[in-house]
Amino acid sequence: MKEIIAEFLDMVKERNGHEPEFLQAVEEVAETVLPYIVQNDIYYGKNVLLRMVEPERLVSFRVCWVDDNGEIQVNRGYRIQMNSAIGPYKGGLRFHPTVNASILKFLAFEQVFKNSLTTLPMGGGKGGSDFDPKGKSDNEIMRFCHAFMSELFRHIGPNTDIPAGDIGVGQREIGFLFGKYRKLRNEFTGVLTGKGLTWGGSLIRPEATGYGTVYFAENMLRTKNDNFEGKTVVISGSGNVAQYAAEKCIVIGAKVVTLSDSSGYIYDKDGIDADKLKFVMHLKNVKRGRIKEYVKEYPEAKFVKGKTPWSEKCDIALPCATQNELDIEDAKTLLANGCMCVSEGANMPSTNAAIKEFHKARILFAPGKASNAGGVATSGLEMTQNSLRYKWTREEVDKKLREIMQDIHNSCTEYGQEEDGYIDYVKGANIAGFVKVADAMLAQGVV
Ligand SMILES: NC(=O)C1=CN([C@@H]2O[C@H](COP(=O)(O)OP(=O)(O)OC[C@H]3O[C@@H](n4cnc5c(N)ncnc54)[C@H](O)[C@@H]3O)[C@@H](O)[C@H]2O)C=CC1
Ligand SMILES: O=C(O)CCC(=O)C(=O)O
């Protein structure tokens, strides 16, 4: 089996050798899915996985806009349309200076499996730009979003490709993007998700990724007759996913002790309670400040510059910032400190070596494509409401989200449970996600 996997990865490397993040995501999938393919005649010899690693379409375009000083700026925009076998392309847009084809291809590839797991009919895609929103005025953000959409609009549509938010793209940016699309197309459709509540958005969509990550962890803990009550939780990030993961943890009785951003992390030994979290939300969403300002408001907390929070003692870790933010050394430290559950809110935050360490220690570990799928699932629910010209209540959407996270947990268990009862959620998520997409691809012929 090792040779088959190595041969496959060599082929992928030959075409994508300069794309480390994409290769990392493919390797993690290949190691679990190829053995399954070899054991199942219907998939064997059809090059299904080889087809899945090649985007159906990759669009790259120039984005020109004028900054507040009247200077012309040039950025690069992308949309990766990875797989549409089970539904229109669906996935977020990332605005961050590190954005490149490798990062977006890994995200689009993961999205295919994630969207398949949600039980909803959505294919996978991802896009974005190397535009850096940090320090930009609202007017600059608007001009950039309008310029970005003036090209993107040709490639998307409510039945073709439905983008949403990701790092650096929240409701403000979705508003500017939606405004431009509506004007260019002269139509009001559900072409983007994460919209505002008065213009087609869904209740619970802002909360969904963070809440879903915690719901998934609750499902994992339930297999051990355990729950969040009284547990110490370490969270990285302080953006959309981190904020709502923290909110849910607090509500269900856990103590959240850290949050972070790219400058470092804060540790609050007394716990970040609902009032303190409100301060963080205002700091990050309105003032757009840095997390270290937390310690000015709450001097009993400490700020650790330039570090991730994984050295702090915890029962549960929720990485909610960015890819590869948790390496093998961090995994060893978490385990040595007694961490027994890791549920990824971010996409690919743990390196493959870190994941192997968690598996070796037989702790509960959920990969982002399963545990953070609540965000895109609720985007799917937003699409449904848009199509129906209808609006579900907060309780209705939250109930559906909980059910979807439980369904994803069940799928992971079905395909990932080992003989000794241990659930390998990576294997489970990869195979369950693969089967649905592969079946659709095979049914549709060589397309
Ligand atoms: N927003 C959503 O619905 C979903 C987001 N995700 C993933 O969750 C993660 C966070 O996304 P959002 O919260 O939406 O973005 P955001 O823009 O609201 O927040 C991003 C957070 O990550 C931190 N961050 C970014 N780069 C970092 C770095 N190099 N080192 C340390 N911290 C860094 C930022 O300071 C910020 O706290 C990403 O991996 C994203 O792909 C996954 C599923 C859905
Ligand atoms: O809601 C969506 O369509 C996007 C969510 C997303 O980008 C993700 O799941 O990583």
Side-chain angles (χ1 to χ4, degrees), residues 16 50 152 212 319 387 405 411 433 445:
N16 309 278
L50 197 60
L152 186 70
S387 301
M405 297 317 293
S411 301

Side-chain angles (χ1 to χ4, degrees), residues 94 166-168 205 209 238-241 261-262 320-321 345-347 372:
R94 177 176 292 192
D166 190 77
I167 291 179
R205 175 62 189 91
T209 310
S238 49
N240 170 269
V241 181
D261 64 19
S262 52
C320 295
N347 284 308
N372 74 33

Side-chain angles (χ1 to χ4, degrees), residues 213-214 216-218 220-221 228 231-234 314-319 334-335 338-344 358 363-366:
T213 302
V214 176
F216 196 89
E218 280 187 306
M220 292 200 289
L221 288 164
F228 269 79
K231 298 281 190 304
T232 299
V233 184
V234 159
C314 66
D315 304 300
I316 298 168
L318 306 177
L334 280 167
L335 291 167
C339 175
M340 38 80 91
C341 174
V342 179
S343 186
E344 294 186 336
F358 291 138
I363 67 158
L364 301 169
F365 171 79

Side-chain angles (χ1 to χ4, degrees), residues 90-92 111 114 126 162 164-166 193 205 347 372 375-376 379:
K90 179 85 195 89
Q111 199 80 46
K114 185 194 305 192
K126 200 90 186 190
I162 306 94
D166 190 77
T193 59
R205 175 62 189 91
N347 284 308
N372 74 33
V376 73
S379 278

